[in-house]
Amino acid sequence: MATVENTSVSTTTSEQVSQILPLELIEKCIGSKIWIAMKNDKEFVGTLLGFDTYVNIFLKDVTEYEYTPEGIKTIKLDNILLNGNHVCLLIPEGSGPKIN
C-alpha cells in the first residue's frame, strides 16, 4: 500500500506576493491617462483627477466614445464626473477604442 504525504506549500518572505486593494490601484493612476468602459454603449478616455469610495470618477481632457448604429461617435469634453454604478472596466494608460 502506498502512503501519501501531506505536503503544504510554504513561502518565505522573499517569495511573498504583496496584495494591493482595487482602490489603491486606482489611486496609483491619479494624474495618468485612463480608459473607462461603462455599462451602456459609452467609453471615456481622459486624465484621472480623482475618485471616491463608490468609484465615482472625475476626469479632465476627456474624449467620449459612443457606439451608435452609424458607428463610433466621439465628443471632446473639458471635464466629466462619471457615476461609479455604471463603470464596468478601468484600463490604465488605455488609449480608447480603435476607430476605422
Side-chain angles (χ1 to χ4, degrees):
M1 174 184 250
T3 59
V4 178
E5 291 183 31
N6 184 5
T7 59
S8 63
V9 177
S10 63
T11 58
T12 61
T13 56
S14 63
E15 295 175 347
Q16 289 179 346
V17 178
S18 65
Q19 293 182 356
I20 184 167
L21 298 173
L23 293 179
E24 292 173 347
L25 185 60
I26 298 170
E27 187 173 9
K28 290 178 180 274
C29 296
I30 291 178
S32 300
K33 191 174 177 183
I34 192 165
W35 177 10
I36 301 172
M38 306 298 282
K39 290 181 181 176
N40 57 16
D41 290 333
K42 292 186 180 183
E43 297 179 10
F44 298 88
V45 175
T47 302
L48 179 62
L49 293 180
F51 68 98
D52 63 11
T53 56
Y54 299 104
V55 193
N56 296 315
I57 297 173
F58 187 53
L59 301 173
K60 74 173 183 177
D61 302 326
V62 181
T63 302
E64 176 183 340
Y65 299 92
E66 182 176 10
Y67 293 90
T68 66
E70 296 81 30
I72 299 175
K73 177 181 165 186
T74 62
I75 301 170
K76 297 284 187 183
L77 304 166
D78 291 333
N79 297 303
I80 193 165
L81 177 62
L82 301 175
N83 185 329
N85 287 328
H86 302 284
V87 171
C88 182
L89 181 68
L90 301 170
I91 305 166
E93 299 297 328
S95 59
K98 301 270 189 230
I99 299 176
N100 295 334

